[in-house]
Amino acid sequence: MIEEPLIHAEREPKRRTLFGHTFYVDADVSDELRSKVIESAAAEGASLVNQWFVGCSATHVVCEGNSLRKYLGHSSKIVTPLWVLKSAKEKHLQRLVHMSADLARQTGILLDNIQNTISSKEVNTGAYLRDATSSTSRVSQEERQNVANVAKDGVRKRRGWRMQTCQTPLRHLSPSSLLDSICWSISDPTSTASIYMDSSSVEDTNQQNTSVFFDAKDDHKASEASFVNLSRPLSESEKAELILKNNFITILFPVDRFSEMGPCSRTFFNEKGFTCLQVLDYIYAFYQENMSRGEVEVAIHTDSRNADRLRSVYCSKETSRRGCVEFKRIEFLGSRKSFEMLKRVSGDNNCNVYELLIRA
């Protein structure tokens, strides 16, 4: 009875190393290396799929460093071509390092932020800043060609990714509002931004604070003070949270105290979408800029105390000597500086145009 199972075990064929596993090889892996991976994996009993999407049957994604970010948090096992070749050669699975899905997504966000910083320095600093700071400097044709090539490669990658995951172009659904829990004055640096706390999480035996929380949009000083007590600074994970997955966002910025002029639009691009802190930085930077010549020519006709100040600057000797009006947008808003939210304009659910709502 003891020897019989051993006899049967010897008769069974030797189990292959990768049997029962399904592999997807990323499209960015070179053709030569891809062929070696497929050949080695198939020889060891693995199955292969030609397409990958979240929730597909692939147990392992084979990719290299440049393609890692798009799989983090979506695939439980991400390996390199070398891992597959070595496992097949040595006849046993190489060691895997595991992490939770939320940690993997946070890691992906950190990598995206680093990559976006590098890309901004390489693409924008060389071309845009020289044009903006010097009227005589010109970007060479070769530099413009490099910028255009980078943009074209990005478009192709996004197009290929959408087709790869669902066979038809995919546009993310846009939230109806963004950052509606942020407490912040747009005249202050983004480091001062905080987040409203859920009233149920505030330990306070005096229930008056909880009742005031729901009256937050009143302009009374008592309500404002209670809001400060019911807010906390943003954590690093909240700052890095991806709030919009679209590659483009258009923000409609109010430019005057009583909205006589209507909003000024500005469109931003990011390869990986937009984080909380990035959007806040866009808003802060916009209002720290001086009003453009076209804005000034219209703004001097508006009716407010800020417009009176602008008209005084407009006709001053200093402005005549300088040749341009220096008047920051934040100064023209007056007391209208309290951030409320970004609200998606009416339209389809894929719209990426948001109106900035601020109040006095």
Side-chain angles (χ1 to χ4, degrees):
M1 293 296 294
I2 296 176
E3 294 179 355
E4 185 176 357
L6 296 177
I7 296 172
H8 286 295
E10 291 176 358
R11 294 174 183 174
E12 293 178 357
K14 186 176 181 180
R15 184 180 181 86
R16 290 179 288 182
T17 306
L18 302 179
F19 181 80
H21 300 292
T22 304
F23 286 79
Y24 168 75
V25 184
D26 184 73
D28 291 337
V29 176
S30 65
D31 293 339
E32 182 180 357
L33 187 56
R34 180 186 182 88
S35 299
K36 291 181 180 179
V37 169
I38 292 175
E39 181 180 354
S40 299
E44 289 300 317
S47 301
L48 296 157
V49 293
N50 295 325
Q51 297 174 350
W52 181 89
F53 52 88
V54 177
C56 72
S57 60
T59 58
H60 293 70
V61 170
V62 184
C63 68
E64 296 179 299
N66 294 335
S67 304
L68 172 64
R69 296 192 305 274
K70 61 186 177 184
Y71 300 111
L72 274 175
H74 301 296
S75 180
S76 58
K77 296 177 182 178
I78 306 172
V79 298
T80 63
L82 180 61
W83 186 93
V84 179
L85 297 176
K86 194 171 182 180
S87 296
K89 180 180 180 180
E90 298 181 1
K91 304 299 181 183
H92 68 86
L93 294 177
Q94 301 298 303
R95 190 169 68 94
L96 276 174
V97 179
H98 297 274
M99 66 176 69
S100 63
D102 56 342
L103 181 58
R105 284 191 288 269
Q106 291 177 19
T107 304
I109 291 173
L110 291 175
L111 292 174
D112 289 342
N113 291 339
I114 294 172
Q115 183 62 38
N116 291 336
T117 301
I118 295 173
S119 298
S120 298
K121 290 180 179 179
E122 290 179 348
V123 177
N124 295 330
T125 304
Y128 176 77
L129 290 182
R130 280 201 300 273
D131 283 345
T133 56
S134 175
S135 58
T136 58
S137 64
R138 293 186 180 277
V139 180
S140 67
Q141 182 181 3
E142 182 179 357
E143 289 176 309
R144 291 185 183 277
Q145 186 65 51
N146 290 336
V147 173
N149 289 339
V150 170
K152 185 187 297 184
D153 290 342
V155 171
R156 287 175 176 172
K157 286 181 179 179
R158 293 194 302 275
R159 183 190 302 156
W161 173 246
R162 291 194 298 263
M163 297 300 293
Q164 180 182 357
T165 53
C166 62
Q167 295 301 301
T168 55
L170 172 66
R171 292 180 64 191
H172 294 286
L173 295 179
S174 302
S176 59
S177 63
L178 299 174
L179 306 175
D180 51 3
S181 60
I182 295 297
C183 175
W184 178 50
S185 172
I186 62 174
S187 61
D188 298 332
T190 54
S191 59
T192 64
S194 57
I195 186 170
Y196 293 127
M197 298 170 61
D198 187 353
S199 59
S200 62
S201 66
V202 179
E203 297 180 1
D204 191 352
T205 55
N206 186 354
Q207 296 183 356
Q208 292 180 354
N209 286 345
T210 304
S211 62
V212 173
F213 177 79
F214 293 102
D215 295 331
K217 293 190 177 180
D218 293 344
D219 291 329
H220 302 295
K221 292 183 179 180
S223 299
E224 295 292 339
S226 298
F227 255 120
V228 172
N229 294 332
L230 292 175
S231 63
R232 59 170 175 77
L234 288 168
S235 65
E236 291 302 317
S237 60
E238 288 168 337
K239 292 178 181 179
E241 180 184 1
L242 195 66
I243 61 172
L244 187 67
K245 295 182 179 180
N246 289 333
N247 302 118
F248 298 90
I249 182 173
T250 298
I251 300 178
L252 305 180
F253 294 94
V255 293
D256 63 312
R257 176 65 177 84
F258 300 109
S259 298
E260 292 181 84
M261 295 173 57
C264 177
S265 69
R266 184 167 292 185
T267 302
F268 304 93
F269 169 79
N270 194 295
E271 184 72 35
K272 300 296 181 180
F274 300 90
T275 65
C276 169
L277 189 60
Q278 283 175 331
V279 174
L280 294 181
D281 284 338
Y282 293 151
I283 296 171
Y284 178 75
F286 177 84
Y287 286 110
Q288 291 302 312
E289 295 174 358
N290 287 321
M291 299 178 70
S292 67
R293 181 177 179 180
E295 287 174 306
V296 171
E297 296 296 336
V298 175
I300 58 177
H301 299 285
T302 60
D303 183 10
S304 69
R305 286 181 296 178
N306 307 305
D308 289 336
R309 292 180 54 233
L310 176 61
R311 284 187 282 268
S312 297
V313 173
Y314 181 81
C315 60
S316 66
K317 293 182 179 179
E318 181 66 20
T319 299
S320 299
R321 182 186 63 80
R322 189 186 304 114
C324 63
V325 177
E326 290 188 358
F327 201 89
K328 288 187 176 181
R329 293 191 178 100
I330 192 65
E331 296 175 2
F332 195 62
L333 280 177
S335 61
R336 190 183 178 190
K337 300 176 183 178
S338 182
F339 179 87
E340 285 192 325
M341 70 175 76
L342 288 169
K343 184 177 180 181
R344 190 185 69 207
V345 301
S346 58
D348 60 49
N349 293 334
N350 303 123
C351 179
N352 59 1
V353 181
Y354 286 84
E355 179 184 5
L356 172 61
L357 301 183
I358 52 178
R359 59 183 173 83

